[in-house]
Amino acid sequence: MIIEPSNYTYETMPDYTDAVDGAVEIPVTGEEMEIRYAHKVVYDEAHNLHLEIFTPFQMAHPERTWPCITFIQGSAWMKQYVYQKVGMIARLAQRGYVVAIVEYRHSGIAHFPAQIIDAKNAVRFLRAHAEEYKLNPSQMFLMGDSSGGQVSSVAGMTAKSGKLDEPINEESCEVCGIIDLYGAVDVTLPYGYPITLNHQKPDSPEGMLMGYDITEHLEEAKAACSKTYVNEDFPPMLIAHGTKDTMVFCQQSVDLYHALKDAGKDVQLYLLRGADHGGAAFWTEEMITVYDNFFKKCLGE
């Protein structure tokens, strides 16, 4: 087959039609999902904070926009390794979501509520750049694991109230739903962190977050506890936690679930029998389908 050079588009480019003996032909539809990755996107110049953004793309629908998940990577509120779950995040993006992993100010440079403020501003940045990253600004979600579960839940629960907030632009930080994976959602629970021997002391992860000995400031520390905000106006929440979590006792999630139920909130709890703190159990096809179905339910699909 011979063609002449021209200013072809995909639509005008001739299909190769010569028979090739022994070749296997596999038809494509244009519906195949590609994931495009934007590395170290600055969302807060003042604090030099970044996003890792995964955007779906289909050849048949190049202008399609997607729901967006703002994902808060856990780190015991310390400096994050934001690339830890990129393989898993890509699988979630493969389901048809823009996913942005958020870098927040860690406890070594800023105490609570800096991390909540950063999560909200990440949502605002994404809304302001919706066209660039092919996301639907009316279909935003917050999701996080471990300390990121605490950040995503508190940020989502207080998004409408203006509490714990320092906006970087005029965009809304409200979301359609919240997923909290094995979140460290109660820094005041006396036995909340099984292998943290210095639990609640100033040099513990939660003590470093708050900047003091939590046992001496229990009332003040409740500001960082998700269940403090159960009476705010916020969207549905899904919670998942391993029953053998050695780092964040699953009682924290159970207590939050009961508090939300008692407040009449829309909440789901998944207890992963025998699961430890995170890991592959939370990223099986079954669990990704659970998250996908939750997002779709929040959007009325």
Side-chain angles (χ1 to χ4, degrees):
M1 180 175 175
I2 299 174
I3 61 170
E4 295 294 330
S6 181
N7 293 322
Y8 294 116
T9 64
Y10 178 79
E11 288 73 21
T12 62
M13 175 66 189
D15 200 356
Y16 188 86
T17 57
D18 285 1
V20 181
D21 185 40
V24 177
E25 291 193 5
I26 299 176
V28 299
T29 65
E31 303 288 337
E32 296 83 9
M33 192 75 79
E34 174 184 339
I35 304 301
R36 296 180 173 180
Y37 172 39
H39 175 54
K40 294 197 76 170
V41 176
V42 177
Y43 76 91
D44 184 336
E45 293 185 359
H47 298 106
N48 192 32
L49 298 173
H50 303 84
L51 299 171
E52 306 296 319
I53 305 176
F54 299 79
T55 301
F57 177 81
Q58 291 175 310
M59 186 173 63
H61 310 287
E63 299 305 317
R64 181 175 177 178
T65 60
W66 311 86
C68 178
I69 302 164
T70 306
F71 186 87
I72 319 297
Q73 171 64 54
S75 62
W77 302 285
M78 300 177 192
K79 187 172 177 59
Q80 298 154 294
Y81 180 59
V82 294
Y83 312 110
Q84 182 177 355
K85 293 185 177 67
V86 294
M88 298 170 181
I89 292 298
R91 290 171 58 205
L92 189 56
Q94 195 81 29
R95 294 290 186 105
Y97 298 93
V98 174
V99 187
I101 305 175
V102 179
E103 177 188 22
Y104 56 48
R105 282 173 288 169
H106 60 81
S107 60
I109 60 175
H111 298 308
F112 173 87
Q115 300 74 23
I116 312 300
I117 292 167
D118 295 343
K120 291 179 177 180
N121 283 332
V123 173
R124 290 189 171 98
F125 173 90
L126 289 162
R127 270 209 171 90
H129 294 81
E131 184 175 354
E132 182 177 355
Y133 296 106
K134 301 297 183 186
L135 64 92
N136 187 330
S138 67
Q139 299 180 335
M140 306 286 289
F141 297 93
L142 274 164
M143 181 177 185
D145 68 333
S146 193
S147 62
Q150 180 263 349
V151 173
S152 62
S153 59
V154 174
M157 295 169 82
T158 61
K160 290 185 178 181
S161 71
K163 296 176 181 176
L164 313 176
D165 205 0
E166 295 176 9
I168 57 171
N169 60 32
E170 295 182 356
E171 298 287 346
S172 169
C173 64
E174 293 180 27
V175 293
C176 301
I178 305 161
I179 292 185
D180 158 28
L181 303 181
Y182 44 94
V185 294
D186 189 350
V187 299
T188 66
L189 190 67
Y191 47 86
Y193 303 89
I195 61 172
T196 303
L197 300 183
N198 58 340
H199 176 44
Q200 296 184 331
K201 296 303 179 183
D203 59 344
S204 69
E206 60 274 24
M208 292 171 63
L209 171 70
M210 304 309 296
Y212 48 71
D213 186 324
I214 291 174
T215 62
E216 297 177 1
H217 301 274
L218 283 175
E219 285 302 312
E220 182 180 348
K222 287 180 181 178
C225 298
S226 303
K227 63 184 179 182
T228 297
Y229 305 101
V230 296
N231 292 315
E232 301 289 345
D233 181 13
F234 54 87
M237 186 183 300
L238 184 149
I239 304 168
H241 211 126
T243 60
K244 292 195 68 172
D245 193 324
T246 56
M247 297 184 69
V248 178
F249 187 34
C250 70
Q251 189 67 51
Q252 295 195 39
S253 287
V254 172
D255 289 349
L256 177 58
Y257 172 72
H258 285 312
L260 289 165
K261 291 287 284 185
D262 291 345
K265 301 300 184 179
D266 187 341
V267 60
Q268 302 174 34
L269 174 64
Y270 288 81
L271 293 177
L272 276 63
R273 182 62 54 191
D276 196 355
H277 191 67
F282 291 85
W283 294 95
T284 61
E285 285 301 310
E286 179 181 6
M287 288 308 297
I288 291 175
T289 297
V290 165
Y291 311 146
D292 189 17
N293 289 341
F294 170 77
F295 295 136
K296 286 180 167 59
K297 180 183 175 184
C298 290
L299 297 176
E301 298 179 8

